[in-house]
Amino acid sequence: ARGQGEALSIVNMVNKMKSDYSIDNSKVFVTGLSAGGYMTAVMMATYPDVFSGGAVMAGGPYKCATSMTAAFSCMSPGTDKSPTEWKTLAKQGYSSYNGTYPTLMVFHGSTDSTVKELNMTELMDQWTAMHDIDQTPDKTETIAGHEVKSYQNASGKTLVKTYRIVGMGHAITVNPGTGEGQGGATGGYSVNKGLHSSYHAADFWGLNNKDQEPPVV
């Protein structure tokens, strides 16, 4: 919840960095894997005034569970709710907020047996509803053999984007190397599926230095 517990602890760390360094408030993002993926959705819902975007890796929607028993059900087989139901839950994160909500990226393995793939669908339902756009992808493409769907507003801006990583279990995808779009190392919960998730997140968020303007410190 906003203002307490782990969510408050995380945002305090962000605020500490913002007080110590000159940081663009519009370029603060959050990402996490597994429990960190669920926590990413928490931060997006409870502190939409702090984060411009979130990348959930093998996580699920905000308030899918409020108990340990329900949490296991969310992970597997997943909890199916309507976009409106998910939106109502997410709005509870900061009920008096009327500003812009963070954009969402989801990276999820098609063979994840720990956090089932349904969670990606429910995340998409929740955050398209939060942005008042529909659940039909405006663009579907294949990148490195993986299905990528983009959900856009009326102006054509992508607000929700999902990456279904074929043949990946409970992990993040990397693409070791030094070429364009490559990076990351394998090990633990990091596997080579020919797509560097962190690169794609940075690219989506405009943190790729393609504008050739050096950052101001």
Side-chain angles (χ1 to χ4, degrees):
R2 184 180 175 90
Q4 59 183 288
E6 294 172 341
L8 177 60
S9 178
I10 292 170
V11 85
N12 280 343
M13 297 180 209
V14 173
N15 289 335
K16 170 64 174 171
M17 292 296 293
K18 290 167 75 171
S19 68
D20 288 353
Y21 302 94
S22 177
I23 291 176
D24 185 343
N25 286 332
S26 69
K27 292 186 177 180
V28 180
F29 304 92
V30 58
T31 184
L33 164 70
S34 193
Y38 282 98
M39 199 67 199
T40 295
V42 170
M43 301 311 295
M44 291 172 63
T46 57
Y47 290 97
D49 52 331
V50 175
F51 300 100
S52 295
V56 176
M57 302 183 184
Y62 176 64
K63 278 208 171 176
C64 184
T66 55
S67 70
M68 183 176 291
T69 301
F72 281 110
S73 296
C74 285
M75 291 164 60
S76 180
T79 300
D80 187 8
K81 295 182 185 293
S82 71
T84 301
E85 289 174 315
W86 284 125
K87 179 179 179 178
T88 298
L89 289 171
K91 286 284 187 179
Q92 293 173 8
Y94 187 4
S95 58
S96 62
Y97 183 69
N98 293 311
T100 302
Y101 279 89
T103 59
L104 171 71
M105 301 185 77
V106 187
F107 297 87
H108 211 108
S110 67
T111 58
D112 191 334
S113 59
T114 303
V115 176
K116 292 296 183 69
E117 188 182 342
L118 178 61
N119 280 275
M120 179 172 70
T121 301
E122 302 308 297
L123 268 168
M124 178 275 294
D125 284 348
Q126 184 171 61
W127 289 91
T128 50
M130 289 294 280
H131 285 287
D132 296 317
I133 58 177
D134 62 44
Q135 289 72 52
T136 301
D138 296 280
K139 181 180 180 181
T140 300
E141 57 189 320
T142 300
I143 300 177
H146 309 296
E147 186 178 62
V148 181
K149 295 180 178 180
S150 299
Y151 302 80
Q152 303 172 346
N153 62 12
S155 301
K157 180 181 179 180
T158 299
L159 301 177
V160 175
K161 196 168 188 177
T162 62
Y163 288 72
R164 182 180 184 270
I165 308 302
V166 178
M168 186 175 78
H170 194 61
I172 62 172
T173 171
V174 296
N175 184 16
T178 58
E180 175 72 17
Q182 289 188 296
T186 59
Y189 291 94
S190 177
V191 298
N192 182 3
K193 290 296 179 180
L195 185 148
H196 189 206
S197 52
S198 295
Y199 172 87
H200 282 262
D203 187 61
F204 182 60
W205 293 333
L207 304 177
N208 48 27
N209 287 332
K210 287 182 178 178
D211 57 9
Q212 297 300 304
E213 292 183 12
V216 177
V217 178

